[in-house]
Amino acid sequence: MFKFNFDVENDTEQSTDVNHTTKNHGPASAPTIGPDAFTELSLANALNSLPSKISYSPITIQLASGSGLSLPRRDLFDARFQLISQNTDDTDALEQPSINARSALHFLDAPSDLVPLVYEGGLKTWECSLDLASYLDGISSQFDVSGNRVLEIGCGTSIPSLYILHRIFSSPPSQNQTHIHLQDYNASVLELVTIPNIILTWYLSEAAETYRKSEERADSPLELNISEGLKDAFHQSLMTYGVHLRFFSGSWDTFDLRTSGGSYNLVLTSETIYRMESLPSLTAIMHGACNTEGPKGVDNYLCLVAAKVLYFGVGGGVAEFVRCVRDLDTGGAVETVWEKTQGVERRVMSVRWN
Ligand SMILES: C[S@@+](CC[C@H](N)C(=O)[O-])C[C@H]1O[C@@H](n2cnc3c(N)ncnc32)[C@H](O)[C@@H]1O
């Protein structure tokens, strides 16, 4: 059984224990890390706010084929360093709503600590996100993401979207236009980890081969120089591969589908069903985001949720999620498409809204 652990535990990559809220900082004293209303972030601004060098470490996804795929993730100590230097260089940075440096620093030091509707755990990679990426790999011959609209809800370090981008950037460029939108509660998470992880994934892909040969390498193999040339080459690749990225922060109940451009063909989320109170807004955004229009019986969308079966201590889990989908009264149904039954039980589920 998965348990929100009230004991302090180091943030390890695939740790199943997290610290929950009030032990270290209760809601009353919890610092704020960003606004909770729907806000779109500029990719260019986020890239411009990065330091001249970022460091990263690989994380391995076990693919359905049995092989491993290594994806890069920005090191949290490096994100921390960015905030500290911003803090030192520019005291105004503390006033910016998108990066509340003090709060972000607080959670960078304890990336597993969830403070409801303040910081929701997006700095850490949660293990079901790896399950979801692995599942996507298993169905890649049946579902071509290219040319579709994709939304990852509660993306955090965005492993499923990184997997999708890795595939796109490792295939020949296509005429198809692919829209990948990433949502997280915290703007700081998008700025500090999601967007850096995306540029790292591009940098290590075949799409960046020419750039890699031309650039002046960073001193260490696990560092990337963030130069103007890199940003230009990245933007050029996005155009060449027809990839359109957008980033949205804020709570699920404020998500504005009209601003985001309407429904999606692939809706993904992992480790987001842990809290009962948030389940209605999560299921509502999932339902609203899926392209349920079109002829009956034709699949216009795929909606996948990866989660632990039980999140003891906060009340959420698979049973509550299934109940919530039913309560939406749209004839929704949840099917388990992958499961792990040993140890902490985990599932990947497909949701049909009918
Ligand atoms: C435990 S983290 C999981 C992050 C990532 N999906 C993973 O599996 O590694 C939960 C994510 O859900 C999002 N989230 C949780 N509650 C939310 C809410 N009420 N509104 C918006 N986002 C929320 C947060 O952005 C956070 O990144």
Side-chain angles (χ1 to χ4, degrees):
M1 179 189 291
F2 171 73
K3 190 170 183 219
F4 276 91
N5 191 356
F6 285 81
D7 293 319
V8 175
E9 169 116 355
N10 285 339
D11 171 47
T12 53
E13 208 121 287
Q14 298 180 30
S15 160
T16 54
D17 293 332
V18 293
N19 310 309
H20 180 236
T21 62
T22 51
K23 182 177 180 192
N24 299 326
H25 25 252
S29 61
T32 53
I33 194 173
D36 63 1
F38 178 81
T39 307
E40 177 158 14
L41 271 79
S42 147
L43 174 61
N45 287 352
L47 291 177
N48 287 339
S49 71
L50 288 175
S52 58
K53 198 179 281 187
I54 60 173
S55 81
Y56 60 95
S57 303
I59 186 166
T60 303
I61 301 169
Q62 290 307 322
L63 298 179
S65 60
S67 61
L69 171 69
S70 179
L71 290 173
R73 280 180 317 157
R74 186 183 192 187
D75 294 320
L76 286 186
F77 70 78
D78 190 65
R80 189 176 197 286
F81 187 65
Q82 174 181 341
L83 284 176
I84 290 170
S85 4
Q86 273 171 352
N87 200 352
T88 322
D89 295 350
D90 176 11
T91 43
D92 287 349
L94 289 172
E95 307 304 324
Q96 285 176 15
S98 62
I99 297 185
N100 183 326
R102 259 188 214 124
S103 304
L105 272 173
H106 182 91
F107 294 114
L108 276 163
D109 287 339
S112 302
D113 281 9
L114 305 182
V115 181
L117 299 184
V118 175
Y119 163 68
E120 292 280 354
L123 290 167
K124 188 186 120 147
T125 295
W126 298 67
E127 58 190 343
C128 295
S129 65
L130 306 177
D131 298 339
L132 188 48
S134 173
Y135 181 76
L136 286 172
D137 183 68
I139 61 164
S140 57
S141 58
Q142 301 140 48
F143 189 93
D144 185 5
V145 170
S146 167
N148 279 306
R149 280 174 57 80
V150 181
L151 174 66
E152 183 172 354
I153 301 171
C155 62
T157 58
S158 68
I159 299 293
S161 295
L162 297 186
Y163 166 77
I164 288 171
L165 285 163
H166 164 82
R167 275 192 73 93
I168 291 175
F169 289 138
S170 306
S171 310
S174 119
Q175 297 297 316
N176 295 332
Q177 303 300 303
T178 308
H179 298 259
I180 300 179
H181 295 180
L182 295 108
Q183 180 278 339
D184 197 276
Y185 187 81
N186 300 112
S188 301
V189 167
L190 295 169
E191 291 165 335
L192 292 169
V193 295
T194 313
I195 290 172
N197 287 352
I198 288 175
I199 199 162
L200 284 164
T201 298
W202 165 78
Y203 174 75
L204 294 176
S205 73
E206 288 164 34
E209 202 176 345
T210 311
Y211 175 76
R212 281 200 307 274
K213 281 184 185 149
S214 71
E215 64 146 1
E216 196 182 310
R217 288 285 172 93
D219 305 334
S220 149
L222 293 178
E223 284 182 344
L224 174 63
N225 284 333
I226 306 289
S227 63
E228 289 309 311
L230 174 100
K231 289 182 236 172
D232 289 348
F234 175 57
H235 283 298
Q236 187 56 50
S237 267
L238 291 178
M239 281 195 281
T240 307
Y241 285 78
V243 174
H244 304 268
L245 298 171
R246 289 176 74 182
F247 302 89
F248 305 108
S249 65
S251 63
W252 292 322
D253 46 11
T254 66
F255 190 85
D256 184 350
L257 207 53
R258 279 214 335 221
T259 302
S260 84
S263 59
Y264 297 84
N265 313 101
L266 180 60
V267 173
L268 304 171
T269 192
S270 81
E271 303 260 20
T272 47
I273 65 170
Y274 50 87
R275 200 191 336 277
M276 298 280 282
E277 296 78 4
S278 302
L279 283 174
S281 57
L282 175 64
T283 46
I285 184 181
M286 286 169 67
H287 173 239
C290 286
N291 181 359
T292 51
E293 303 290 308
K296 253 206 154 1
V298 176
D299 286 346
N300 291 322
Y301 70 90
L302 187 58
C303 181
L304 297 172
V305 182
K308 299 189 176 81
V309 170
L310 274 175
Y311 292 90
F312 183 75
V314 267
V318 166
E320 291 70 24
F321 173 69
V322 170
R323 201 171 305 132
C324 222
V325 169
R326 283 206 206 107
D327 286 353
L328 264 188
D329 214 16
T330 59
V334 180
E335 182 194 357
T336 298
V337 290
W338 176 90
E339 67 185 326
K340 172 184 168 289
T341 51
Q342 275 163 0
V344 176
E345 288 184 66
R346 311 198 301 255
R347 289 192 190 163
V348 177
M349 297 165 281
S350 169
V351 185
R352 302 295 315 166
W353 301 105
N354 293 322

